[in-house]
Amino acid sequence: MSQSKQYDAYKEFQNTMNTLGRRYELSRVFDDFLSLAICSFHRTNIQSKLMHKDPTNEEFYHSIINKYDQKAIELFPKLLGALQLSVYNEPYSDLLGDYFTEHITRGQNGQFFTPQPICELMSRINASDITQGKRVYDPSCGSGRTLLSFAKHAPDNYFFGNDVSSTCAKMTTLNFFLNGLRGEVAWMNTLSHEWYSAWQVNCQGIGILSVSKENSILYNEKPYTKKQQLHNKEQLTLF
């Protein structure tokens, strides 16, 4: 039954995206949806129950939504509803990554995400001695599905992910939030350490908060190498 409901949620998301894609560029709609959803789950919105709003967040939200007409605007909540239903039916699933690879990139630029069975295998191997309160890090996180698979077995940890693609970083951020994970996601080049932006998720209360370079954990605290991890029990790198 859950697989059937999961399929229905995916089809609802896909059909709504297709409707928007007939009027606007599909890849742009998808990326804008991610940005709008992150804005909607801003920590100030969540913690104040919409009684207060962050001015910078509101300005960014309206700069995106104002590009669409009213009929299109009414479809964005349907996308968010389908995504939330997907997570409700199957926690730690990755509807965003599945849709992204099937309809947006189609494998261009090498953006084929790790198959779910491989993610599951890696998580079972690495999560065997992890309990809680540790850092779990993926330096090339894609949509965050490897971290999600790990969280399925050990959710009470702090999860961190980098990706050079802003779209991927935003997918991971939403996946973290909707599954109740705590941590940070950075849009940055892991190899050159070039930083663009980052979001902290469910830190200091529920919600998503955009953070500056100065306040980014991932930028200021360089991740451990595999060799260094042998002497450090606080972080596990999944790669």
Side-chain angles (χ1 to χ4, degrees):
M1 179 63 71
S2 62
Q3 288 184 343
S4 175
K5 290 181 178 180
Q6 182 72 355
Y7 175 78
D8 290 343
Y10 183 86
K11 291 299 292 184
E12 176 72 13
F13 188 91
Q14 177 181 265
N15 291 338
T16 305
M17 283 294 303
N18 288 343
T19 299
L20 285 164
R22 286 194 287 269
R23 304 176 62 189
Y24 304 91
E25 182 186 1
L26 187 62
S27 61
R28 173 50 54 191
V29 172
F30 183 78
D31 193 73
D32 283 345
F33 164 71
L34 299 176
S35 296
L36 291 170
I38 289 173
C39 287
S40 298
F41 294 130
H42 191 279
R43 194 170 72 189
T44 300
N45 292 345
I46 299 294
Q47 294 188 5
S48 72
K49 298 181 180 179
L50 295 178
M51 295 298 293
H52 303 286
K53 296 181 181 180
D54 180 85
T56 302
N57 185 64
E58 286 297 296
E59 182 180 358
F60 182 59
Y61 178 92
H62 286 289
S63 72
I64 297 172
I65 201 67
N66 288 341
K67 296 184 294 186
Y68 297 91
D69 61 29
Q70 187 59 39
K71 288 185 177 180
I73 291 173
E74 292 172 358
L75 293 176
F76 282 103
K78 293 185 66 175
L79 291 173
L80 188 56
L83 177 59
Q84 291 178 299
L85 185 61
S86 173
V87 175
Y88 177 80
N89 291 332
E90 187 178 341
Y92 309 110
S93 58
D94 184 23
L95 180 153
L96 293 172
D98 289 340
Y99 183 85
F100 180 73
T101 53
E102 183 178 354
H103 297 281
I104 304 298
T105 67
R106 298 186 177 89
Q108 294 181 19
N109 301 319
Q111 285 181 297
F112 283 114
F113 295 150
T114 305
Q116 196 61 46
I118 303 299
C119 293
E120 182 67 21
L121 173 63
M122 293 173 62
S123 68
R124 286 183 178 274
I125 292 173
N126 286 291
S128 59
D129 60 345
I130 297 297
T131 53
Q132 59 184 11
K134 306 293 179 65
R135 291 186 179 186
V136 185
Y137 173 61
D138 187 342
S140 182
C141 62
S143 56
R145 58 175 51 186
T146 303
L147 291 163
L148 291 175
S149 292
F150 187 97
K152 187 187 299 184
H153 303 286
D156 295 326
N157 291 285
Y158 295 90
F159 295 87
F160 295 85
N162 298 356
D163 205 280
V164 72
S165 163
S166 62
T167 301
C168 288
K170 285 185 279 190
M171 283 191 285
T172 300
T173 299
L174 276 180
N175 278 333
F176 276 17
F177 176 78
L178 292 173
N179 286 281
L181 304 184
R182 294 171 294 170
E184 181 179 301
V185 183
W187 171 28
M188 65 182 292
N189 188 319
T190 303
L191 297 178
S192 68
H193 212 57
E194 187 175 2
W195 188 94
Y196 306 107
S197 62
W199 299 267
Q200 289 180 357
V201 184
N202 297 327
C203 297
Q204 300 178 5
I206 299 174
I208 300 172
L209 186 66
S210 177
V211 292
S212 65
K213 180 190 296 186
E214 292 72 23
N215 294 319
S216 169
I217 297 171
L218 283 166
Y219 183 81
N220 291 290
E221 298 183 21
K222 294 183 178 180
Y224 297 103
T225 65
K226 287 288 186 180
K227 184 176 181 179
Q228 289 171 321
Q229 284 183 64
L230 296 175
H231 305 286
N232 179 69
K233 298 182 179 180
E234 298 302 316
Q235 177 175 295
L236 174 67
T237 299
L238 301 177
F239 193 74

